[in-house]
């Protein structure tokens, strides 16, 4: 596609299409070969080099959506997380991580970075004065997730990007929850954006993938790291992800709309103690959300009232599935304490306000009335 300014739906549908030169079909052909001629000028395609026709083209779609120069599609969200982090850090370096991040990322930092002789600190990034105290001569990286998982706390993107520049740090954001439809962190000066494409980019709970978007300059070391670690995606799945991303904007808009209505509904229920959603006026950072998000996202969490048994509640829901993961077209719910944050210690969970009564809802595209009916029937059943 040209560099002309295009609408988001047009980019979702058309950017990064593989041209069907033979039959002139409307959709991308899949090139599944792992053995390409090497006499051509430039880089010969090879799946683990991340440069097959399908991989290269899809990388353009994620780059364009994230307002980046370069994109990369990887085998999982954790492949994106690990490659991005290790492209910046080397032995002897120090990094600052947001305390509230995806449990798997936290586990990677704690279990793997130490073995590379890399020091790390977890800190609340809303308090830049305490972050400043942690920055040392060998600090290279600041890593964030906003809105955070599972409490939907926000970090000020512009403030973090400025802080990073001031201290000569590279900033990385996991933008999985917001998606580029609701938030474009590079516009605020963040250096590298990454995704678990298993979630909204894939959107149908049937693909595991990851994505990174950044400048050409910062992408080069990421690509070299990715080639060494080998976490590439099969072209059949790359193709499926391209197909899924054609509806990204439509899906996420509907999911975001549903999330707002469900958050407002849940906030009024006597069986709910608290709702965390940046689109609610009661969210302590609602104004910040308005200033850096174009939509408030489709994830929310809520705390059940103490007398309600969380397991009975989850079992009594019928339409809303109690399953792992998020970002699909179907509405799903889970207990962060038992799933995404189960690898944290009890003390770490307590410190972050994650207990068995906290549930996380990933809003799908169903009619919101049907979802509310499901909650109503569930409560009647267990009371
Ligand atoms: C915010 C976030 N980042 C990264 C990941 C890791 O992604 P994947 O499971 O695709 O490796 C997840 C997975 O749940 C996630 O929720």
């Amino acid at each position: 596609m040209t560099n002309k300014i295009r609408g988001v739906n047009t980019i979702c549908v058309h950017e990064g299409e593989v041209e069907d030169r033979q039959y002139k079909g409307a959709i991308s052909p899949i090139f599944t070969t792992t053995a390409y001629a090497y006499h051509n000028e430039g880089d010969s395609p090879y799946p683990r080099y991340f440069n097959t026709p399908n991989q290269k083209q899809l990388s353009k779609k994620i780059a364009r959506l994230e307002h980046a120069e370069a994109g990369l599609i990887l085998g999982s969200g954790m492949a994106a997380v690990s490659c991005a982090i290790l492209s910046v850090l080397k032995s002897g370096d120090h990094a600052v991580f947001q305390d509230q991040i995806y449990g798997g990322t936290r586990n990677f930092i704690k279990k793997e970075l130490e073995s590379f002789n890399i020091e790390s600190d977890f800190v609340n990034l809303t308090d830049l004065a305490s972050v400043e105290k942690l920055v040392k001569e060998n600090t290279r990286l600041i890593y964030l997730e906003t809105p955070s998982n599972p409490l939907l706390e926000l970090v000020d993107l512009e403030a973090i990007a400025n802080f990073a520049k001031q201290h000569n740090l590279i900033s990385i954001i996991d933008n999985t929850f917001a998606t580029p439809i609701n938030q474009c962190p590079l516009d605020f000066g963040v250096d590298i954006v990454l995704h678990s494409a298993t979630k909204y980019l894939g959107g149908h709970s049937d693909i595991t993938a990851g994505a990174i978007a950044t400048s050409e300059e910062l992408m080069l070391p990421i690509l070299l790291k990715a080639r060494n670690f080998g976490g590439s995606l099969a072209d059949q799945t790359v193709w499926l992800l391209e197909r899924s991303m054609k509806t990204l904007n439509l899906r996420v808009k509907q999911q975001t709309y549903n999330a707002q209505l469900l958050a407002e509904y849940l906030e009024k229920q006597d069986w709910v103690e608290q709702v965390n959603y940046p689109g609610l006026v009661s969210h302590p950072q609602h104004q910040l959300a308005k200033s850096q998000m174009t939509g408030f996202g489709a994830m929310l969490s809520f705390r059940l009232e103490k007398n309600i048994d969380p397991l009975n509640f989850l079992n009594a829901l019928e339409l809303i599935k109690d399953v792992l993961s998020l970002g699909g077209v179907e509405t799903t719910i889970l207990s962060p304490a038992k799933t995404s944050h189960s690898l944290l210690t009890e003390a770490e969970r307590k410190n972050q306000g994650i207990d068995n009564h906290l549930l996380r809802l990933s809003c799908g595209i169903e009619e919101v009335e049907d979802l509310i009916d499901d909650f109503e029937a569930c409560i009647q059943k267990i009371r």
Side-chain angles (χ1 to χ4, degrees):
M1 208 159 79
T2 67
N3 284 332
K4 261 193 204 163
I5 295 180
R6 299 280 201 193
V8 181
N9 280 321
T10 309
I11 293 171
C12 285
V13 175
H14 292 294
E15 182 71 56
E17 287 177 310
V18 180
E19 194 188 339
D20 179 356
R21 295 206 184 127
Q22 196 172 4
Y23 298 110
K24 310 281 178 226
I27 62 153
S28 301
I30 317 177
F31 290 91
T32 58
T33 184
T34 55
Y36 287 90
Y38 58 87
H39 305 287
N40 309 331
E41 282 200 5
D43 239 5
S44 291
Y46 184 63
R48 188 177 46 78
Y49 291 171
F50 297 82
N51 62 355
T52 61
N54 293 89
Q55 286 173 319
K56 273 177 94 163
Q57 288 302 106
L58 183 55
S59 295
K60 290 183 190 167
K61 200 192 293 278
I62 185 67
R64 186 92 180 248
L65 286 168
E66 284 288 8
H67 304 168
E69 287 172 2
L72 192 67
I73 302 296
L74 303 98
S76 69
M78 284 312 298
V81 168
S82 53
C83 281
I85 290 176
L86 290 172
S87 76
V88 176
L89 299 174
K90 58 177 187 332
S91 172
D93 285 345
H94 169 252
V96 174
F97 293 91
Q98 185 176 336
D99 50 3
Q100 265 194 44
I101 50 173
Y102 167 59
T105 303
R106 196 181 171 101
N107 193 49
F108 166 76
I109 295 157
K110 284 172 66 184
K111 294 273 157 41
E112 306 299 337
L113 290 192
E114 212 180 281
S115 68
F116 285 95
N117 187 32
I118 293 166
E119 292 177 285
S120 49
D121 277 305
F122 292 97
V123 65
N124 177 352
L125 293 186
T126 58
D127 175 11
L128 281 179
S130 30
V131 185
E132 182 119 46
K133 284 190 198 133
L134 292 173
V135 174
K136 308 190 265 194
E137 224 170 78
N138 59 342
T139 310
R140 302 271 173 269
L141 169 74
I142 187 158
Y143 184 101
L144 60 145
E145 252 181 61
T146 177
S148 72
N149 178 8
L151 291 168
L152 285 303
E153 284 182 11
L154 302 194
V155 174
D156 186 329
L157 290 173
E158 197 169 9
I160 290 294
N162 289 340
F163 180 90
K165 285 190 177 58
Q166 229 176 328
H167 294 84
N168 219 6
L169 313 177
I170 297 290
S171 50
I172 300 183
I173 180 169
D174 182 333
N175 203 27
T176 301
F177 265 37
T179 82
I181 305 307
N182 285 324
Q183 178 171 278
C184 282
L186 298 192
D187 292 350
F188 294 86
V190 174
D191 296 305
I192 300 172
V193 175
L194 61 85
H195 287 271
S196 167
T198 313
K199 313 299 189 280
Y200 291 99
L201 303 188
H204 296 75
S205 306
D206 57 6
I207 290 174
T208 302
I212 303 179
T214 183
S215 63
E216 298 280 6
E217 187 189 348
L218 289 175
M219 187 56 86
L220 189 62
I222 295 173
L223 178 62
L224 297 178
K225 212 41 99 181
R227 286 179 173 185
N228 284 341
F229 285 135
S232 57
L233 202 60
D235 283 298
Q236 289 92 337
T237 313
V238 174
W239 180 89
L240 204 50
L241 182 56
E242 190 220 319
R243 192 188 68 166
S244 300
M245 284 179 68
K246 287 178 192 279
T247 55
L248 179 69
N249 189 46
L250 295 179
R251 284 188 275 110
V252 171
K253 284 263 158 56
Q254 179 67 29
Q255 288 169 300
T256 301
Y257 172 80
N258 281 0
Q260 181 74 38
L261 295 184
L262 286 172
E264 287 168 10
Y265 160 78
L266 288 167
E267 204 173 33
K268 291 192 199 112
Q269 306 311 307
D270 61 359
W271 44 271
V272 175
E273 214 177 80
Q274 197 199 338
V275 182
N276 307 307
Y277 182 64
L280 290 176
V281 180
S282 61
H283 189 287
Q285 295 163 302
H286 181 59
Q287 289 310 321
L288 176 61
K290 276 166 94 174
S291 71
Q292 66 185 25
M293 301 181 82
T294 42
F296 301 115
M299 297 300 301
L300 62 91
S301 61
F302 60 98
R303 196 178 300 285
L304 286 172
E305 200 250 321
K306 279 185 204 68
N307 295 330
I308 302 210
D309 180 70
L311 199 58
N312 286 347
F313 181 86
L314 292 173
N315 286 339
L317 288 166
E318 280 183 11
L319 197 61
I320 302 172
K321 292 191 174 74
D322 171 22
V323 294
L324 216 65
S325 203
L326 63 104
V329 288
E330 60 287 318
T331 299
T332 61
I333 193 163
L334 58 68
S335 161
K338 301 246 178 285
T339 58
S340 56
H341 290 68
S342 62
L343 293 172
L344 270 65
T345 63
E346 184 78 42
E348 284 172 330
R349 275 197 296 276
K350 193 160 177 227
N351 201 21
Q352 292 190 21
I354 300 169
D355 59 27
N356 288 342
H357 277 74
L358 182 78
L359 300 177
R360 193 190 75 186
L361 192 70
S362 167
C363 302
I365 63 169
E366 305 94 330
E367 274 70 20
V368 81
E369 298 77 18
D370 294 331
L371 299 168
I372 289 176
D373 276 357
D374 204 33
F375 280 127
E376 294 285 317
C378 159
I379 281 298
Q380 272 187 13
K381 222 184 279 177
I382 61 171
R383 263 190 172 159

